[in-house]
Amino acid sequence: MLRRVCFRNVRLTGAAFANATLDDVVFEDCRLDLASFRFAKLARVRLERCRLDEADLYEARFEAAAFTSCSLAHASLAGVKFVDAELRGCDLTAVGNPEQLRGVRMPWPDVVEAADVLASAVGIDVVD
């Protein structure tokens, strides 16, 4: 369990937070690519300018979480649950299981930017 911790400019590539509980944790300018958050419970977690490329969020629960200017490119969202979570300025390129974004809050320009990912989540085939 991690409680009231702040990580700044830390390289956590491949870190294992599987089954962990993180409360009131801040990640700023961190590398979390290939990290595993499988079955983790994260409450009041803030991620700012972090790279979560190819992260595994399988069955993780994010409650009152904020992602700001993060890259979630190719991250796996299978089974993830977002409750009162917000994404701002995040890269969702080729995110896996985008339908799991249900319930997140995003500014309109971010929704437009991620239209291809969100369209695929609801089964829309985009044509030229």
Side-chain angles (χ1 to χ4, degrees):
M1 171 185 258
L2 292 173
R3 181 174 284 148
R4 292 186 294 277
V5 178
C6 182
F7 295 93
R8 283 194 183 102
N9 299 310
V10 179
R11 184 175 184 157
L12 295 165
T13 298
F17 294 100
N19 293 306
T21 300
L22 285 75
D23 294 332
D24 300 304
V25 175
V26 175
F27 294 94
E28 292 179 355
D29 300 301
C30 293
R31 298 261 333 232
L32 289 156
D33 46 326
L34 301 170
S36 173
F37 289 91
R38 288 182 151 245
F39 300 102
K41 293 180 178 83
L42 301 97
R44 297 168 310 281
V45 172
R46 195 175 81 231
L47 296 106
E48 295 183 9
R49 299 173 306 280
C50 293
R51 296 192 61 90
L52 291 131
D53 300 344
E54 298 185 58
D56 181 2
L57 307 180
Y58 182 79
E59 293 287 331
R61 179 180 174 87
F62 289 88
E63 189 168 334
F67 295 77
T68 305
S69 301
C70 294
S71 175
L72 290 154
H74 301 278
S76 172
L77 304 182
V80 72
K81 178 74 173 171
F82 292 104
V83 178
D84 192 28
E86 185 171 297
L87 277 70
R88 288 185 168 276
C90 294
D91 178 3
L92 300 175
T93 303
V95 70
N97 304 96
E99 67 280 359
Q100 295 303 120
L101 291 168
R102 170 171 276 128
V104 300
R105 292 185 313 275
M106 294 172 65
W108 184 249
D110 292 356
V111 171
V112 172
E113 178 73 25
D116 59 334
V117 172
L118 301 175
S120 73
V122 296
I124 296 172
D125 290 324
V126 179
V127 295
D128 292 325

